[in-house]
Amino acid sequence: MAYDPNNIFARILRGEIPCKKIAEDEHTLAFHDINPMAPVHALVIPKGAYISFDDFSDNASEAEIAALIRMVGKVARDLGCAEAGYRILSNIGQNGHQEVPHLHIHVFGGASLGRMINKVTA
Ligand code: 5GP
């Protein structure tokens, strides 16, 4: 599947659509989700054109991978989630119900989040 340069996060990265920015570095951008599912709901994205975690892990540089991981931790700390705990999640592809085809890591916190996901069967 080819990367769609007109997806909403690509447009946010180009500054065509605003976002509530939390933090940014050379390789990553973190911002608040427009439709928060928890008191804290942030999104961390690479600036590069990666669709999924498998795409990113296969094709991103060491620096990009390190930056994304570090930014997730920074966002959790900066938004006050580190002590009480939080959840990170990335929806990938059709089974994962990924809506935006640019890799993003959700960071949820600010309240008890329940346990894992609902159990599913094939
Ligand atoms: P997915 O299902 O792909 O993991 O989730 C995509 C997320 O992006 C959703 O939580 C949705 O609320 C968020 N989102 C979609 N469009 C926008 C937008 O224009 N701005 C921001 N900040 N978040 C968005």
Side-chain angles (χ1 to χ4, degrees):
M1 182 169 138
Y3 181 82
D4 171 10
N6 289 319
N7 76 74
I8 202 98
F9 294 167
R11 299 186 65 200
I12 285 175
L13 284 167
R14 289 197 296 268
E16 295 168 9
I17 292 176
C19 71
K20 280 177 63 184
K21 185 161 86 175
I22 299 165
E24 180 175 15
D25 65 18
E26 183 185 354
H27 297 297
T28 62
L29 175 67
F31 52 98
H32 294 279
D33 196 289
I34 204 168
N35 182 26
M37 304 293 285
V40 170
H41 185 175
L43 298 167
V44 181
I45 67 174
K47 289 186 174 176
Y50 303 105
I51 301 173
S52 64
F53 202 87
D54 42 287
D55 177 21
F56 184 68
S57 64
D58 204 24
N59 296 308
S61 68
E62 306 296 313
E64 290 175 296
I65 292 170
L68 189 82
I69 299 295
R70 290 191 188 284
M71 184 61 82
V72 169
K74 174 181 166 51
V75 164
R77 285 191 304 275
D78 289 358
L79 297 184
C81 297
E83 194 172 329
Y86 56 97
R87 180 170 296 155
I88 60 177
L89 179 143
S90 188
N91 296 315
I92 307 296
Q94 193 175 345
N95 278 359
H97 288 239
Q98 180 178 9
E99 287 173 16
V100 180
H102 181 115
L103 175 63
H104 47 285
I105 312 294
H106 296 261
V107 181
F108 301 103
S112 176
L113 298 164
R115 197 170 177 279
M116 301 265 276
I117 63 169
N118 292 328
K119 190 170 183 176
V120 291
T121 52

